[in-house]
Amino acid sequence: MEQRALEHGYGVEERLQSGECALEVSGLTVTYGEKPALVGVAAQIPSGSMTAIIGPNGAGKSTLLKAALGVVPKSSGTVRVFGEALSRQMHRLAYVPQRASVDWDFPTRVIDVVLMGMYRELGLLRPVRRWHREKALACLQRVDMADFASRQIGQLSGGQQQRVFLARALAQSADLYLLDEPFAGVDAATERAIIDVLKSLQAERRTVVCVHHDLTTVPDYFDRVLFINVRKVAEGSIATTFTAENLQKTYGGRLATTHIDQLRTAV
Amino acid sequence: MGPEFVQLSLTPLLIAIFAAVACALPGNFLILRRQALVGDAISHVVLPGIVVAFILTGTVSTGPIFLGAAAAAIAAAILIEIVKRAGNVEPGAAMGVVFSSLFAAGVLLLEQSDTSGVHLDVEHALYGNLESLIWLAADGWHSLLDPEALADLPPELFRMMGVALAIAILTAIFWRPLKISTFDEGFARTVGIPAAIVSFALVIVSAMAAVAAFDAVGSIIVIAMLICPPAAARLMTNRLEIQILWSILFAVVSAVVGYVLGGYGPLWLGSEYSVSAAGMIATISGLILALTCFVGPYRKRIGEPMAS
């Protein structure tokens, strides 16, 4: 990690000062069939920030990540990553899909899943060397899963699966991490482990974006928030943007006023 | 295993082995992608291909029939992908729509045209003609070194061998993209794997295997070999690399045991006739799958969840 900080630290510091965007989308519209999932969303994720994407079910949070990554096609809009076209900066991105989006009965071991994160280095035919395995093990160590390296992935609990997915993203050595509900259905210990890793990523001046559900933890975990409900409602720092007004606008009547007051006091 | 074996059994046996392996390799990925029925779809779709080839050329010779079947299989593979992606429906439904309508079209075409000759070939497409692919010019093992005798080997042998080899090489080269995009398609795209192309190529390769195999051994084997050896192999291991090896082993065992039992089994039981080798090979592969269902070490869908 020392070495990476040396390699990347200086550049990131400069980018932060110049207020560079890790991820910038504008006019992003995505439709599934007839149904619009996102309409004209614009957002700017500053480099080095830790951002929660917040919104009710079906608001298009996951779709925003997938469209930004090119995993689902967008109807219109532009995506820029570190100031350049997505295709030029794709290698600096790591994506952690929802845990439930894959079949965990797939016949492979934990370490093999982490090695998938090194596909860009390994390519089609380059052999897996010892240092590749050591790096994969180090990534597993970071999420407290090194003891599980040769387990079949079907034997893991939900929280352990989520940690393996995070380890695979760590193996990508990315500068921008996009996670889709990393805390969904995990135990408290895993939630703690994941947030520690994410904070350490931020400490290394990397950028973290999470689709997030649990409103009570937003002020603790994140420094920025992006409210969406098909359209963008608001974005900004927790202090200025995580307000009762924005919550009300995003969730409509579904969020009781008393609940919002509780959230405010947490801030 | 004397001269008679070389003359009558060696080439059909080899063709059966290559056909089984060529189908089993892509089958591993098809079952993990919940697309096992692609093989079924392709072998149904071969029918209109054969009929159209017959109507266009007026012959039932191998060349045009093979091309017609191949064209139909590829057209079906493309249609399935289009229906799946454009209609946003699940793969099984897309396959069901495409293969049943194309099969129906084949039946209609068959009825509307003078196909007394093709009728025989529809049967041929189902059961193959493995037993007829003999090596007449051979009169012993030494014929393997005799250029004149070698020139007389049935062309199906080289076609099947070439296809099996090509599929093995493709699987080895594109192993990582295949594995990663089979496990997690969304992630695969973000590390630069063209997941849609990989998925499409897999269907095309399965079609290649199916068409090359159907001509020699019939589509019954194709359906069985795409599904049974990989499904049985999945129950033997929890690692894809080892699953592939098991599937090849099961494919070879099915081909050899099925061929021998089909040819000689009834004789041993006192009958004067033999039974269809293709049918027996498919049966053996099914028996292997049944056996692994009972005794395979990883027959549980998912291992016991760990306490965290």
Side-chain angles (χ1 to χ4, degrees), chain B residues 91-292:
Chain B
M95 275 179 256
V97 168
V98 170
F99 88 72
S100 46
S101 46
L102 282 182
F103 186 72
V107 173
L108 282 179
L109 274 174
L110 204 58
E111 288 193 338
Q112 295 302 312
S113 48
D114 174 24
T115 52
S116 47
V118 175
H119 241 301
L120 279 174
D121 255 73
V122 171
E123 216 164 276
H124 161 183
L126 278 180
Y127 307 118
N129 58 342
L130 196 53
E131 292 87 345
S132 69
L133 299 171
I134 51 178
W135 188 14
L136 275 179
D139 50 13
W141 286 103
H142 59 86
S143 299
L144 283 172
L145 299 171
D146 176 4
E148 260 181 56
L150 285 173
D152 190 51
L153 276 167
E156 285 86 353
L157 175 62
F158 297 108
R159 193 190 299 147
M160 204 62 249
M161 193 167 72
V163 168
L165 203 64
I167 290 177
I169 292 171
L170 284 172
T171 307
I173 293 178
F174 294 104
W175 176 257
R176 282 179 190 147
L178 268 168
K179 181 177 173 180
I180 296 175
S181 65
T182 299
F183 173 58
D184 190 345
E185 186 171 317
F187 170 81
R189 285 165 197 247
T190 65
V191 292
I193 295 169
I197 293 175
V198 172
S199 157
F200 185 61
L202 177 64
V203 174
I204 293 292
V205 164
S206 309
M208 256 171 64
V211 170
F214 111 85
D215 184 42
V217 298
S219 46
I220 288 188
I221 284 202
V222 171
I223 301 170
M225 286 303 143
L226 276 166
I227 298 174
C228 293
R234 174 65 189 89
L235 303 173
M236 296 303 293
T237 174
N238 266 335
R239 288 186 63 191
L240 188 54
E241 291 78 3
I242 296 164
Q243 179 188 324
I244 296 280
L245 299 179
W246 275 109
S247 74
I248 293 171
L249 179 72
F250 286 150
V252 172
V253 168
S254 306
V256 174
V257 175
Y259 183 82
V260 171
L261 280 186
Y264 303 103
L267 299 178
W268 297 335
L269 293 175
S271 162
E272 289 175 32
Y273 307 100
S274 55
V275 298
S276 155
M280 189 53 90
I281 291 171
T283 306
I284 296 294
S285 73
L287 285 177
I288 290 177
L289 176 56
L291 200 64
T292 53

Side-chain angles (χ1 to χ4, degrees), chain A residues 184-205:
Chain A
V186 304
D187 52 285
T190 296
E191 177 150 350
R192 198 66 247 164
I194 291 175
I195 195 63
D196 286 348
V197 170
L198 295 184
K199 294 218 164 175
S200 73
L201 286 173
Q202 194 189 17
E204 294 163 12
R205 308 247 182 248

